Amino acid sequence: MKAKFIIVEGLDRAGKSSQCELLVKELSKSGPVELLKFPDRTTAVGKMIDAYLQSKSDLNDQAIHLLFSANRWEAVEDIKSKLNSGVTLVVDRFSYSGAAFSAAKGLDLGWCKHPDVGLPEPDKVIFLDVSEEVAMQRGGYGNERYEKLEFQRKVRSIFQQLREPNWAWINADESVENVHQRIVQALGV
Ligand code: DGP
Ligand code: NA
Ligand code: NA
C-alpha cells in the first residue's frame, strides 16, 4: 500500500481526536501509519500559538495566521520523509483549518491560503461536521478563543467554500462507532 496523506478537519467538538485515533488503529492493520496534530503546541512557535488560544497573549490576526502556517512548515521535512519511507499520515487539522479560522475573522480567503502554498497536498480530506445542538451536548464550547457558536458558524461556511472533490463530508452527530465506519468507507479501506 502506498503511503497516504490523510487530513481530518472539522469544527470544534466534532470528535476529531477520537476519530483520528480510531482511524490510525484501523489503518495500522494494513501498514505503517502515524498520527500528527496541528497546531503542534510543543515547538517554540506552537507555544506562542498555545498562549494565544488560551488568551494569555494577544497578536493581530495576520501575525497569528502566519504563526499557524509556520507551525505546519516547520514540520514539512518530517512529513515528507515519513511519506517517502512509506508511512501513512493521519493529520488532525492542517492548512484548511488555517484558512477557515482566519478567514472567519474577516481576512481575505486568498491571502489566508497563500502562506501554506507548497505544503503537501492531501490524498483525502475527512471533514467532520457537527450540528450546534450536538456540539453543545458534548459539553458546549470550552474556554479557548475560537470556541463560540457564532464564530464556529462562520468557520463552517468557509470550510464549505474550501471543499473539493477529494473531501468526504461526514455527519459527526452520530455515535463514535458509526462515524468511524463512515470514515473507513470514505477511505475505501
Ligand atoms: P485543536 O487543538 O484542534 O482544538 O485546535 C485549536 C484551535 O485552533 C481550534 O479552535 C482550531 C484553531 N486552529 C487550528 N489550526 C488553525 C490555524 O491554522 N489557524 C487558525 N487561525 N486557527 C486554527
Ligand atoms: Na479546540
Ligand atoms: Na481537538
Side-chain angles (χ1 to χ4, degrees), residues 89-161:
L89 296 178
V90 172
V91 185
D92 182 341
R93 294 196 192 281
F94 207 59
S95 305
Y96 304 102
S97 278
F101 281 82
S102 289
K105 297 171 177 174
L107 298 184
D108 177 75
L109 183 57
W111 186 89
C112 290
K113 286 171 156 180
H114 203 73
D116 280 38
V117 171
L119 283 172
E121 299 280 345
D123 295 293
K124 192 87 187 176
V125 177
I126 302 294
F127 182 84
L128 300 180
D129 194 15
V130 65
S131 68
E132 291 164 6
E133 294 73 23
V134 171
M136 289 304 169
Q137 282 164 23
R138 289 179 182 163
Y141 298 113
N143 296 319
E144 285 206 329
R145 197 178 277 263
Y146 299 139
E147 297 182 337
K148 296 181 184 73
L149 190 57
E150 201 48 50
F151 189 75
Q152 297 284 326
R153 273 186 200 147
K154 286 188 191 150
V155 172
R156 184 177 186 277
S157 83
I158 313 268
F159 272 122
Q160 280 172 324
Q161 291 178 52

Side-chain angles (χ1 to χ4, degrees), residues 44-89:
V45 171
K47 285 179 180 136
M48 294 172 74
I49 293 170
D50 184 52
Y52 172 83
L53 287 171
Q54 296 187 50
S55 300
K56 289 177 180 165
S57 74
D58 242 325
L59 286 167
N60 73 32
D61 294 341
Q62 290 83 357
I64 187 64
H65 181 76
L66 295 173
L67 288 180
F68 272 108
S69 180
N71 187 239
R72 290 182 283 273
W73 275 108
E74 65 184 341
V76 75
E77 285 82 12
D78 185 43
I79 290 172
K80 285 183 178 168
S81 79
K82 280 177 175 154
L83 291 171
N84 286 336
S85 63
V87 178
T88 282
L89 296 178

